[in-house]
Amino acid sequence: MSVDRIEKLYKNFGVLADSKDKNEHEAEYLEILTAVKGSSKEKRLASQFIARFFKYFPTLADQAIEAQLDLCEDEDVAIRKQAIKDLPSLCKDNKVHTQKIADILAQLLQAEDNSELSVVHNSLMTLFKSDAKGTLGGIFSQILSGDDLIRERCIKFLTVKIKALGRDIITKEAEEFLISECKKVLQDVTADEFHNLMELLGWTRLGHTVIGQQELVDIVAEQAEINQNFDPKDVENDNVDRLIQCVKHALPYFSSQVDSARFVVYMCEQVLPQFDDISSSEEGADPQLEILKLFAELCTHCGSLDNAESKIEKVFERLIEYMPLPPDSDTEKPSQEEPRLEFSYVECLMYAFHRLGKQCPDVLIKDTDRQKDFRFRLQYFARGIQGYIKKLREALQGKTAEELKTEENKIKVVALKTTSNINTLIKDLFHSPPSFKSVISLSWKPTAGSAKDGPVPGQKRHTPITFSSDSSLNKQSKTDKSQREIYQPPSGKYSNKVSSYVPSQQRGRGRGRGRGGFRGNRGWRRIY
């Protein structure tokens, strides 16, 4: 009986193939549609024949699509793969069905069989090449209304495949639709989804024009909720990780034309005052350092600040906490512990203070006692890092490019960059009045090897800062020396074994960019 049905299928195929007026043979096409309930061979033939003559029977389009969908859900993976492969043919000559077919294929992205999933991907790519906007419409319909697994896989598919398709296929019209739909999805996203969608938007025109970059920054600002109070203890919303992830996405778009002032204000007014409450449940993570590094980078392109002095004061207060005074010279306390020097934290905060200080250069000289106290701290810290700089340069001297690629030497290079940056900034701030002219490249940022990017291995070390100026303030400092004798410079945390030097910016780099965890798998949702 099955053989007879297969012969009948071939006969119907022959009638339709040979007919010049195919729509006169609706009965034959209907028989092909019923074959989706037959044997495995009937189903595979039906899949191909349905697609082959689909365009000639517009009144049977819905019925044909449903028949093909039945095959896509068949228990036999071979039949499913055949049906999925044939799906794009249903809209080859009529784009009106593209969105519906793309919607079906988007749902099929939840397939667990890798070979089947590969066929789904290929079919979607075929659809894109014939109608990119319609295909996007079908995929986004599932992103906006589908279940979590389908939504996740659709977003990941777009993130990977859109760039591969290129701008010849993703036309201006399709791109505008992509941008519009991404904005809709961003109203309610998880951390992973936010990362992927921002990557997509960065690929579009938004990432390549000043107006577009400002728009992306606005999107990030909304997601970071910088218009609301910062609560580092809010575990449910995971505000710390949210802030870190959001700022990372905003940083590439800041420039002289797109400034970061509102992010800097938020950091100064909301984050720094609660800095001690920032913590992580992850072993080895250091969100405090991660935030300080991001804050330093934000300050690079900070525009004019309203009431700049109050913001700079917040940075100064936090900086002072990491810049100890010299221990008192007291013979009764010979075992007094040396202060711990946190080079990485100081680099971030001193850079931020140095950058923002340009907007209020007299912030230090208003209070003579405070300036004198700060100079004591600067001198003590500067003398404390001289030994590191010397030993690190000696350790890196004569190393080949290949040798510098080892993990140990990479750490030493960053350590040298960190301490040298601090030394450069200290020399500026030690001036009377303080100077804000030096330009450095932060130690964790890639450099092109220019002179301003800091010293290179083997370069002559900076001259130690001393009270050699003739300024009245320095004379006052000399007078006070008997009251606070400069303590022997500390050797620092790692000076006993420079080869194992691990600056604090290397400890616990924090979370990876695509990590979730704001409110579980589908947390970090914006609620409107």
Side-chain angles (χ1 to χ4, degrees), residues 411-428:
I411 292 173
K412 290 178 183 177
V413 169
V414 174
L416 177 58
K417 186 76 178 295
T418 300
T419 50
S420 298
N421 279 346
I422 294 172
N423 212 30
T424 299
L425 296 174
I426 286 177
K427 292 182 73 176
D428 253 22

Side-chain angles (χ1 to χ4, degrees), residues 274-292:
Q274 303 182 77
F275 191 71
D276 292 333
D277 293 328
I278 295 173
S279 61
S280 174
S281 59
E282 292 187 13
E283 185 178 353
D286 190 352
Q288 287 187 331
L289 178 57
E290 190 76 7
I291 285 177
L292 287 184

